[in-house]
Coordinates of all heavy atoms in Angstrom, one line a residue:
M265 N -24.0 6.7 -8.3 CA -23.3 5.4 -8.1 C -24.3 4.3 -8.7 O -25.4 4.3 -8.4 CB -23.0 5.2 -6.7 CG -22.2 3.9 -6.4 SD -21.7 3.6 -4.7 CE -21.9 5.1 -3.7
K266 N -23.7 3.4 -9.4 CA -24.5 2.3 -10.0 C -24.3 1.1 -9.2 O -23.3 0.8 -8.6 CB -24.0 2.0 -11.5 CG -24.3 3.1 -12.5 CD -23.7 2.7 -13.8 CE -23.9 3.7 -14.8 NZ -23.3 3.3 -16.1
S267 N -25.4 0.2 -9.3 CA -25.3 -1.0 -8.6 C -24.8 -2.0 -9.6 O -25.2 -2.0 -10.9 CB -26.7 -1.5 -8.1 OG -26.6 -2.9 -7.7
A268 N -23.9 -2.9 -9.3 CA -23.3 -3.9 -10.2 C -24.3 -5.1 -10.2 O -24.0 -6.1 -11.0 CB -21.9 -4.3 -9.9
L269 N -25.3 -5.1 -9.4 CA -26.1 -6.3 -9.2 C -25.4 -7.6 -8.8 O -25.7 -8.7 -9.3 CB -27.0 -6.5 -10.4 CG -27.9 -5.3 -10.8 CD1 -28.5 -5.5 -12.1 CD2 -28.9 -5.0 -9.7
I270 N -24.3 -7.4 -8.1 CA -23.5 -8.6 -7.7 C -23.5 -8.6 -6.2 O -23.2 -7.6 -5.5 CB -22.1 -8.4 -8.2 CG1 -22.0 -8.4 -9.7 CG2 -21.1 -9.5 -7.7 CD1 -20.7 -8.0 -10.3
V271 N -23.8 -9.7 -5.6 CA -23.8 -9.8 -4.2 C -22.7 -10.9 -3.8 O -22.7 -12.0 -4.4 CB -25.2 -10.3 -3.6 CG1 -25.1 -10.5 -2.1 CG2 -26.2 -9.2 -4.1
R272 N -21.8 -10.5 -2.9 CA -20.8 -11.5 -2.5 C -20.7 -11.6 -1.0 O -20.8 -10.6 -0.3 CB -19.4 -11.1 -3.0 CG -19.3 -11.2 -4.5 CD -19.2 -12.7 -4.9 NE -19.3 -12.9 -6.3 CZ -18.4 -13.1 -7.2 NH1 -17.2 -13.2 -6.8 NH2 -18.6 -13.4 -8.5
P273 N -20.5 -12.8 -0.4 CA -20.3 -12.8 1.0 C -19.0 -12.3 1.4 O -18.0 -12.4 0.7 CB -20.4 -14.4 1.3 CG -19.9 -15.0 0.0 CD -20.4 -14.0 -1.1
V274 N -18.9 -11.9 2.7 CA -17.6 -11.5 3.3 C -17.2 -12.7 4.2 O -18.0 -13.2 5.0 CB -17.8 -10.2 4.2 CG1 -16.5 -9.8 4.9 CG2 -18.4 -9.0 3.3
D275 N -16.0 -13.1 4.0 CA -15.6 -14.3 4.8 C -15.2 -13.9 6.2 O -15.2 -12.7 6.6 CB -14.4 -15.1 4.1 CG -13.1 -14.4 4.1 OD1 -12.9 -13.5 4.8 OD2 -12.2 -15.0 3.4
S276 N -14.8 -14.9 7.0 CA -14.6 -14.6 8.4 C -13.4 -13.8 8.6 O -13.2 -13.2 9.7 CB -14.4 -16.0 9.2 OG -13.3 -16.7 8.6
N277 N -12.4 -13.6 7.6 CA -11.4 -12.7 7.8 C -11.6 -11.3 7.2 O -10.8 -10.5 7.1 CB -10.1 -13.3 7.1 CG -9.6 -14.5 7.9 OD1 -9.5 -14.4 9.0 ND2 -9.3 -15.6 7.1
G278 N -12.8 -11.1 6.7 CA -13.2 -9.7 6.2 C -13.0 -9.6 4.7 O -13.0 -8.5 4.2
R279 N -12.7 -10.7 4.0 CA -12.3 -10.7 2.6 C -13.6 -10.9 1.7 O -14.5 -11.6 2.1 CB -11.3 -11.7 2.2 CG -10.0 -11.5 3.0 CD -9.0 -12.6 2.7 NE -9.5 -13.8 3.3 CZ -8.8 -14.8 3.6 NH1 -7.5 -14.9 3.4 NH2 -9.3 -16.0 4.1
I280 N -13.5 -10.2 0.6 CA -14.5 -10.5 -0.5 C -13.7 -10.7 -1.8 O -12.6 -10.2 -1.9 CB -15.5 -9.4 -0.6 CG1 -14.8 -8.0 -1.0 CG2 -16.4 -9.2 0.6 CD1 -15.8 -7.0 -1.4
V281 N -14.4 -11.4 -2.7 CA -13.8 -11.5 -4.0 C -14.5 -10.6 -4.9 O -15.7 -10.6 -5.0 CB -14.0 -12.9 -4.6 CG1 -13.4 -13.1 -6.0 CG2 -13.1 -13.9 -3.6
I282 N -13.8 -9.7 -5.7 CA -14.3 -8.8 -6.6 C -14.2 -9.5 -8.0 O -13.1 -9.9 -8.4 CB -13.6 -7.5 -6.6 CG1 -13.7 -6.9 -5.3 CG2 -14.2 -6.6 -7.7 CD1 -12.8 -5.6 -5.1
P283 N -15.3 -9.7 -8.7 CA -15.2 -10.3 -10.0 C -14.2 -9.7 -10.9 O -14.2 -8.5 -11.1 CB -16.6 -10.2 -10.6 CG -17.5 -10.0 -9.4 CD -16.6 -9.3 -8.4
K284 N -13.3 -10.4 -11.6 CA -12.3 -9.9 -12.4 C -12.8 -9.1 -13.5 O -12.2 -8.1 -13.9 CB -11.4 -11.1 -13.0 CG -10.2 -10.6 -13.7 CD -9.3 -11.7 -14.0 CE -8.0 -11.1 -14.6 NZ -7.0 -12.1 -14.8
N285 N -13.9 -9.5 -14.1 CA -14.4 -8.8 -15.2 C -14.9 -7.4 -14.8 O -14.9 -6.4 -15.5 CB -15.5 -9.5 -16.0 CG -16.8 -9.7 -15.1 OD1 -16.7 -9.9 -13.9 ND2 -18.0 -9.6 -15.8
L286 N -15.4 -7.2 -13.5 CA -15.8 -5.9 -13.0 C -14.6 -5.0 -12.8 O -14.5 -3.8 -13.2 CB -16.4 -6.1 -11.6 CG -17.0 -4.9 -11.0 CD1 -18.1 -4.2 -11.9 CD2 -17.6 -5.2 -9.6
L287 N -13.4 -5.6 -12.4 CA -12.2 -4.8 -12.2 C -11.7 -4.4 -13.6 O -11.2 -3.2 -13.7 CB -11.1 -5.7 -11.5 CG -11.4 -6.0 -10.1 CD1 -10.3 -7.0 -9.5 CD2 -11.4 -4.7 -9.2
T288 N -11.8 -5.3 -14.5 CA -11.3 -5.0 -15.9 C -12.1 -3.9 -16.5 O -11.7 -3.0 -17.1 CB -11.3 -6.2 -16.8 OG1 -10.6 -7.3 -16.1 CG2 -10.8 -6.0 -18.1
D289 N -13.5 -4.1 -16.3 CA -14.4 -3.0 -16.9 C -14.2 -1.7 -16.3 O -14.1 -0.6 -17.0 CB -15.8 -3.5 -16.8 CG -16.1 -4.7 -17.7 OD1 -15.3 -5.1 -18.5 OD2 -17.2 -5.3 -17.5
I290 N -14.2 -1.6 -14.9 CA -14.1 -0.4 -14.3 C -12.8 0.3 -14.3 O -12.6 1.5 -14.6 CB -14.5 -0.5 -12.8 CG1 -15.9 -1.2 -12.6 CG2 -14.4 0.8 -12.0 CD1 -17.0 -0.2 -13.0
F291 N -11.7 -0.5 -14.0 CA -10.4 0.1 -13.9 C -9.5 0.0 -15.2 O -8.4 0.4 -15.2 CB -9.6 -0.5 -12.7 CG -10.3 -0.2 -11.4 CD1 -10.9 -1.2 -10.7 CD2 -10.5 1.0 -10.9 CE1 -11.6 -1.0 -9.5 CE2 -11.2 1.3 -9.8 CZ -11.7 0.3 -9.0
K292 N -10.1 -0.7 -16.2 CA -9.4 -0.9 -17.4 C -8.0 -1.6 -17.2 O -7.0 -1.2 -17.9 CB -9.2 0.4 -18.2 CG -10.4 1.2 -18.3 CD -11.5 0.5 -19.1 CE -12.7 1.4 -19.3 NZ -14.0 0.7 -19.3
A293 N -8.0 -2.5 -16.2 CA -6.7 -3.1 -15.9 C -6.4 -4.2 -16.9 O -7.3 -4.9 -17.4 CB -6.8 -3.8 -14.5
K294 N -5.2 -4.3 -17.3 CA -4.8 -5.4 -18.3 C -4.4 -6.6 -17.4 O -4.0 -6.5 -16.3 CB -3.5 -4.9 -19.2 CG -3.9 -3.7 -19.9 CD -2.7 -3.1 -20.7 CE -3.1 -1.9 -21.5 NZ -2.3 -0.8 -21.2
D295 N -4.4 -7.8 -18.1 CA -4.1 -9.0 -17.4 C -2.8 -9.1 -16.7 O -2.7 -9.6 -15.6 CB -4.2 -10.2 -18.4 CG -5.7 -10.6 -18.7 OD1 -6.6 -10.2 -17.9 OD2 -5.9 -11.2 -19.7
D296 N -1.7 -8.4 -17.3 CA -0.5 -8.6 -16.7 C -0.1 -7.3 -15.9 O 1.0 -7.2 -15.4 CB 0.6 -8.7 -17.9 CG 0.6 -7.5 -18.8 OD1 -0.5 -6.7 -18.9 OD2 1.6 -7.3 -19.6
E297 N -1.1 -6.5 -15.6 CA -0.8 -5.2 -14.9 C -1.2 -5.5 -13.4 O -2.2 -6.0 -13.1 CB -1.7 -4.1 -15.5 CG -1.6 -2.8 -14.8 CD -2.4 -1.8 -15.5 OE1 -3.3 -2.2 -16.3 OE2 -2.3 -0.6 -15.2
K298 N -0.3 -5.0 -12.5 CA -0.6 -5.1 -11.1 C -1.6 -4.0 -10.7 O -1.3 -2.8 -10.9 CB 0.6 -5.0 -10.3 CG 0.3 -5.2 -8.7 CD 1.6 -5.2 -8.0 CE 1.2 -5.4 -6.5 NZ 2.5 -5.4 -5.7
L299 N -2.8 -4.3 -10.2 CA -3.7 -3.3 -9.9 C -3.7 -3.0 -8.4 O -3.8 -3.9 -7.6 CB -5.1 -3.8 -10.3 CG -6.3 -2.8 -10.1 CD1 -6.2 -1.6 -10.9 CD2 -7.6 -3.6 -10.5
T300 N -3.6 -1.7 -8.1 CA -3.6 -1.4 -6.7 C -4.8 -0.4 -6.4 O -5.0 0.5 -7.2 CB -2.3 -0.6 -6.2 OG1 -1.2 -1.5 -6.6 CG2 -2.3 -0.3 -4.8
L301 N -5.6 -0.7 -5.4 CA -6.9 0.0 -5.1 C -6.7 0.8 -3.8 O -5.9 0.3 -2.9 CB -8.0 -0.9 -5.0 CG -8.3 -1.7 -6.3 CD1 -9.5 -2.6 -6.1 CD2 -8.5 -0.8 -7.5
E302 N -7.4 1.9 -3.8 CA -7.4 2.8 -2.6 C -8.8 2.8 -2.1 O -9.7 2.9 -2.8 CB -6.9 4.1 -2.9 CG -6.8 5.1 -1.8 CD -6.2 6.4 -2.2 OE1 -6.0 6.8 -3.3 OE2 -5.8 7.2 -1.2
F303 N -8.9 2.6 -0.7 CA -10.2 2.6 -0.1 C -10.6 4.0 0.4 O -9.9 4.6 1.1 CB -10.2 1.6 1.1 CG -10.1 0.1 0.7 CD1 -9.0 -0.4 0.2 CD2 -11.2 -0.7 1.0 CE1 -8.9 -1.7 -0.2 CE2 -11.2 -2.1 0.6 CZ -10.0 -2.5 0.1
F304 N -11.9 4.3 0.1 CA -12.5 5.5 0.7 C -13.8 5.0 1.4 O -14.4 4.1 0.9 CB -12.8 6.5 -0.4 CG -11.6 7.1 -1.1 CD1 -11.2 6.4 -2.2 CD2 -11.0 8.2 -0.7 CE1 -10.0 6.9 -2.8 CE2 -9.9 8.7 -1.3 CZ -9.4 8.0 -2.4
Y305 N -14.2 5.6 2.5 CA -15.4 5.2 3.2 C -16.0 6.4 3.9 O -15.4 7.4 4.1 CB -15.0 4.1 4.2 CG -14.2 4.6 5.3 CD1 -14.7 5.0 6.6 CD2 -12.8 4.6 5.2 CE1 -14.0 5.4 7.6 CE2 -12.0 5.0 6.3 CZ -12.6 5.5 7.4 OH -11.8 5.9 8.5
N306 N -17.3 6.2 4.2 CA -18.0 7.1 5.0 C -18.8 6.3 5.9 O -18.5 5.1 6.1 CB -18.9 8.2 4.3 CG -19.9 7.5 3.4 OD1 -20.3 6.4 3.6 ND2 -20.3 8.1 2.3
E307 N -19.9 6.7 6.6 CA -20.6 6.0 7.6 C -21.2 4.7 7.1 O -21.4 3.7 7.9 CB -21.6 6.8 8.4 CG -22.6 7.5 7.5 CD -22.2 8.8 6.9 OE1 -21.1 9.3 7.2 OE2 -22.9 9.3 5.9
D308 N -21.6 4.6 5.8 CA -22.3 3.4 5.4 C -21.8 2.9 3.9 O -22.5 2.0 3.4 CB -23.8 3.6 5.3 CG -24.2 4.7 4.3 OD1 -23.4 5.3 3.7 OD2 -25.4 4.8 4.1
S309 N -20.7 3.4 3.5 CA -20.2 2.9 2.1 C -18.7 2.8 2.1 O -18.0 3.6 2.9 CB -20.7 4.0 1.1 OG -22.1 4.1 1.0
I310 N -18.2 1.9 1.2 CA -16.8 1.8 0.9 C -16.7 2.0 -0.6 O -17.4 1.3 -1.4 CB -16.3 0.5 1.3 CG1 -16.4 0.3 2.8 CG2 -14.8 0.4 0.9 CD1 -16.0 -1.2 3.3
I311 N -15.9 2.8 -1.0 CA -15.6 3.1 -2.4 C -14.1 2.7 -2.7 O -13.2 3.1 -2.0 CB -15.9 4.6 -2.8 CG1 -17.4 4.9 -2.6 CG2 -15.4 4.9 -4.2 CD1 -17.7 6.3 -2.8
L312 N -13.9 2.0 -3.8 CA -12.6 1.6 -4.2 C -12.2 2.4 -5.5 O -13.0 2.5 -6.4 CB -12.5 0.1 -4.6 CG -12.9 -0.8 -3.5 CD1 -12.9 -2.2 -4.0 CD2 -11.8 -0.7 -2.4
K313 N -11.1 3.0 -5.4 CA -10.6 3.7 -6.6 C -9.2 3.2 -6.9 O -8.4 2.8 -6.0 CB -10.5 5.2 -6.3 CG -11.9 5.8 -6.2 CD -11.8 7.4 -6.2 CE -13.2 7.9 -6.2 NZ -13.1 9.4 -6.4
R314 N -8.9 3.2 -8.2 CA -7.5 2.8 -8.6 C -6.6 3.8 -8.0 O -6.7 5.0 -7.9 CB -7.4 2.9 -10.2 CG -6.1 2.4 -10.7 CD -6.1 2.4 -12.1 NE -5.1 1.5 -12.6 CZ -5.1 0.8 -13.7 NH1 -6.2 0.8 -14.4 NH2 -4.1 0.0 -14.0
F315 N -5.5 3.2 -7.4 CA -4.5 4.0 -6.7 C -3.4 4.4 -7.7 O -2.8 3.5 -8.4 CB -3.9 3.2 -5.5 CG -2.8 3.9 -4.8 CD1 -3.1 5.0 -4.1 CD2 -1.5 3.6 -5.0 CE1 -2.1 5.8 -3.4 CE2 -0.5 4.2 -4.3 CZ -0.8 5.3 -3.5
H316 N -3.1 5.7 -7.8 CA -2.0 6.2 -8.6 C -1.1 6.9 -7.6 O -1.4 7.9 -7.0 CB -2.6 7.2 -9.6 CG -3.5 6.6 -10.6 ND1 -3.0 5.9 -11.7 CD2 -4.8 6.7 -10.7 CE1 -4.0 5.5 -12.4 NE2 -5.1 5.9 -11.8
P317 N 0.1 6.4 -7.4 CA 1.1 7.1 -6.6 C 1.4 8.5 -7.1 O 1.4 8.7 -8.2 CB 2.4 6.2 -6.7 CG 1.9 4.9 -7.3 CD 0.7 5.1 -8.0
S318 N 1.5 9.4 -6.1 CA 1.8 10.8 -6.5 C 2.6 11.4 -5.5 O 2.8 10.9 -4.4 CB 0.5 11.5 -6.7 OG -0.2 11.6 -5.5
C319 N 3.3 12.5 -5.9 CA 4.2 13.2 -5.0 C 3.5 13.7 -3.8 O 2.3 14.2 -3.8 CB 4.7 14.4 -5.7 SG 5.8 15.5 -4.8
V320 N 4.1 13.5 -2.6 CA 3.4 13.9 -1.4 C 3.2 15.4 -1.2 O 2.4 15.8 -0.4 CB 4.1 13.3 -0.1 CG1 4.1 11.8 -0.1 CG2 5.6 13.9 0.0
F321 N 4.0 16.1 -2.0 CA 3.9 17.6 -1.9 C 3.1 18.3 -2.9 O 2.4 19.2 -2.6 CB 5.4 18.2 -2.0 CG 6.2 17.7 -0.8 CD1 7.3 16.9 -1.2 CD2 6.1 18.1 0.4 CE1 8.2 16.5 -0.2 CE2 6.9 17.7 1.5 CZ 8.0 16.8 1.2
C322 N 3.0 17.7 -4.2 CA 2.3 18.4 -5.2 C 1.4 17.6 -6.1 O 0.8 18.0 -7.0 CB 3.3 19.1 -6.1 SG 4.2 18.0 -7.2
D323 N 1.3 16.3 -5.8 CA 0.4 15.3 -6.5 C 0.9 15.0 -7.9 O 0.1 14.4 -8.7 CB -1.1 15.8 -6.6 CG -1.7 15.8 -5.2 OD1 -1.3 14.9 -4.4 OD2 -2.6 16.5 -4.9
N324 N 2.1 15.5 -8.3 CA 2.6 15.0 -9.6 C 2.8 13.6 -9.6 O 3.1 12.9 -8.6 CB 3.9 15.8 -9.8 CG 4.6 15.6 -11.2 OD1 4.1 14.7 -11.9 ND2 5.7 16.2 -11.5
R325 N 2.6 12.9 -10.8 CA 2.6 11.4 -10.9 C 3.8 11.0 -11.7 O 4.0 9.8 -11.9 CB 1.4 10.9 -11.5 CG 0.1 11.1 -10.6 CD -1.1 10.5 -11.3 NE -2.2 10.7 -10.5 CZ -3.5 10.4 -10.9 NH1 -3.6 10.0 -12.1 NH2 -4.5 10.6 -10.1
E326 N 4.6 11.8 -12.2 CA 5.7 11.5 -13.1 C 7.0 11.4 -12.4 O 7.4 12.1 -11.5 CB 5.8 12.6 -14.2 CG 4.6 12.9 -14.9 CD 4.1 11.7 -15.8 OE1 5.0 11.0 -16.4 OE2 2.9 11.5 -15.9
D327 N 7.8 10.4 -12.8 CA 9.2 10.1 -12.4 C 9.4 10.2 -10.8 O 10.3 10.9 -10.4 CB 10.1 11.1 -13.1 CG 10.0 11.0 -14.6 OD1 9.9 9.8 -15.1 OD2 10.1 12.0 -15.2
L328 N 8.6 9.5 -10.1 CA 8.6 9.6 -8.7 C 9.8 8.9 -8.0 O 10.2 7.8 -8.6 CB 7.3 9.1 -8.0 CG 6.0 9.8 -8.5 CD1 4.8 9.1 -7.9 CD2 6.0 11.2 -8.0
T329 N 10.3 9.5 -7.1 CA 11.4 8.8 -6.2 C 10.8 8.4 -4.9 O 10.1 9.2 -4.4 CB 12.6 9.8 -6.0 OG1 13.1 10.2 -7.2 CG2 13.6 9.2 -5.1
D330 N 11.1 7.2 -4.4 CA 10.6 6.7 -3.2 C 11.6 7.0 -2.1 O 12.8 6.7 -2.2 CB 10.4 5.2 -3.3 CG 9.7 4.7 -2.0 OD1 10.4 4.3 -1.0 OD2 8.4 4.6 -2.0
F331 N 11.2 7.7 -1.1 CA 12.0 8.0 0.0 C 11.3 7.6 1.3 O 10.3 8.2 1.7 CB 12.4 9.5 0.2 CG 13.3 9.9 1.3 CD1 14.6 9.5 1.3 CD2 12.8 10.5 2.4 CE1 15.4 9.9 2.3 CE2 13.6 10.8 3.5 CZ 14.9 10.4 3.5
K332 N 11.7 6.5 1.9 CA 11.1 5.9 3.1 C 9.6 5.9 3.0 O 8.9 6.2 3.9 CB 11.5 6.8 4.3 CG 13.0 6.8 4.6 CD 13.4 7.5 5.9 CE 14.8 7.3 6.2 NZ 15.3 7.9 7.5
G333 N 9.2 5.3 1.9 CA 7.8 5.1 1.7 C 7.0 6.3 1.1 O 5.8 6.1 0.7
A334 N 7.6 7.5 1.0 CA 7.0 8.6 0.4 C 7.4 8.9 -0.9 O 8.7 8.7 -1.2 CB 7.3 9.9 1.3
K335 N 6.5 9.2 -1.9 CA 6.8 9.5 -3.3 C 7.1 11.0 -3.4 O 6.4 11.8 -2.9 CB 5.7 9.1 -4.1 CG 5.2 7.6 -4.0 CD 6.3 6.7 -4.5 CE 5.8 5.2 -4.4 NZ 6.8 4.3 -4.3
I336 N 8.2 11.3 -4.1 CA 8.6 12.7 -4.3 C 9.0 12.9 -5.8 O 9.7 12.1 -6.3 CB 9.8 13.1 -3.5 CG1 9.5 12.8 -1.9 CG2 10.1 14.6 -3.6 CD1 10.7 12.9 -1.0
C337 N 8.4 13.9 -6.4 CA 8.7 14.2 -7.8 C 10.0 14.9 -7.9 O 10.5 15.4 -7.0 CB 7.5 15.1 -8.4 SG 7.6 16.7 -7.9
P338 N 10.6 14.9 -9.1 CA 11.9 15.5 -9.3 C 12.0 17.0 -8.9 O 13.0 17.5 -8.3 CB 12.2 15.3 -10.8 CG 11.3 14.2 -11.2 CD 10.1 14.2 -10.3
E339 N 10.9 17.7 -9.2 CA 10.9 19.2 -8.9 C 10.9 19.4 -7.4 O 11.7 20.2 -6.9 CB 9.6 19.7 -9.5 CG 9.8 21.2 -10.0 CD 8.6 21.6 -10.7 OE1 8.4 21.1 -11.9 OE2 7.8 22.5 -10.2
C340 N 10.1 18.7 -6.7 CA 10.1 18.8 -5.2 C 11.4 18.3 -4.6 O 11.9 18.9 -3.6 CB 8.9 18.2 -4.6 SG 7.3 19.0 -5.0
L341 N 11.9 17.2 -5.2 CA 13.2 16.7 -4.7 C 14.3 17.7 -4.8 O 15.1 18.0 -4.0 CB 13.5 15.4 -5.4 CG 14.7 14.6 -4.9 CD1 14.4 14.2 -3.4 CD2 14.9 13.4 -5.7
K342 N 14.3 18.4 -6.0 CA 15.2 19.5 -6.2 C 15.1 20.6 -5.2 O 16.1 21.1 -4.6 CB 15.1 20.0 -7.6 CG 16.1 21.0 -8.1 CD 15.9 21.3 -9.6 CE 16.8 22.4 -10.1 NZ 16.6 22.8 -11.4
K343 N 13.9 21.0 -4.9 CA 13.6 22.1 -3.9 C 14.1 21.6 -2.6 O 14.6 22.4 -1.8 CB 12.1 22.4 -3.9 CG 11.7 23.2 -5.1 CD 10.2 23.4 -5.1 CE 9.7 24.0 -6.4 NZ 8.2 24.1 -6.5
L344 N 13.9 20.3 -2.2 CA 14.3 19.9 -0.9 C 15.8 19.9 -0.8 O 16.3 20.2 0.3 CB 13.7 18.4 -0.6 CG 12.3 18.3 -0.3 CD1 11.9 16.8 -0.3 CD2 12.0 18.9 1.0
K345 N 16.5 19.5 -1.8 CA 17.9 19.5 -1.8 C 18.5 20.8 -1.6 O 19.6 21.0 -1.2 CB 18.5 18.8 -3.1 CG 18.3 17.3 -3.1 CD 18.9 16.7 -4.3 CE 18.7 15.2 -4.3 NZ 19.2 14.6 -5.6
S346 N 17.8 21.9 -2.1 CA 18.3 23.2 -2.0 C 18.1 23.9 -0.7 O 18.6 25.0 -0.4 CB 17.7 24.1 -3.1 OG 16.3 24.3 -2.8
I347 N 17.4 23.2 0.2 CA 17.2 23.8 1.5 C 18.4 23.7 2.4 O 19.1 22.8 2.5 CB 16.0 23.1 2.3 CG1 14.7 23.3 1.5 CG2 15.8 23.5 3.7 CD1 13.5 22.5 2.0
Ligands
ZN98 ZN1 6.2 17.3 -6.1

């Protein structure tokens, strides 16, 4: 893990501002693209990773259908319908 040599205060609501150029460099986000991050943590660290929605059953990321907040790929949806 590299240090970005950036120090930012945490406000009273627990928010921090992540420099836009850092997000652009790390996540290759385009200006018009909505970037969603996923938080991972252990006892003394928080790691942010770009969130990629995937099928809850097989992790496929293509052509997902949303069902009550869960993403399901066409193949798993087909299997569910045949039950
Ligand atoms: Zn699936």
Side-chain angles (χ1 to χ4, degrees):
M265 186 175 345
K266 293 180 183 178
S267 169
L269 301 175
I270 298 168
V271 178
R272 291 289 167 101
V274 179
D275 75 11
S276 60
N277 291 316
R279 298 175 293 202
I280 59 170
V281 174
I282 301 171
K284 188 171 184 174
N285 67 324
L286 184 62
L287 294 173
T288 303
D289 292 349
I290 301 289
F291 300 113
K292 310 298 183 218
K294 298 174 182 127
D295 282 343
D296 61 340
E297 183 180 9
K298 184 177 180 180
L299 180 64
T300 305
L301 301 178
E302 185 173 12
F303 289 68
F304 296 87
Y305 67 94
N306 61 24
E307 58 277 349
D308 65 351
S309 301
I310 297 172
I311 295 174
L312 299 174
K313 291 189 174 189
R314 187 177 196 142
F315 178 69
H316 295 282
S318 61
C319 176
V320 295
F321 299 111
C322 72
D323 289 334
N324 185 353
R325 294 180 180 172
E326 304 294 323
D327 302 323
L328 300 173
T329 297
D330 187 271
F331 181 73
K332 296 187 176 184
K335 306 291 184 201
I336 304 172
C337 75
E339 211 170 291
C340 290
L341 190 59
K342 187 176 175 182
K343 289 176 186 173
L344 284 171
K345 286 179 179 177
S346 68
I347 293 176

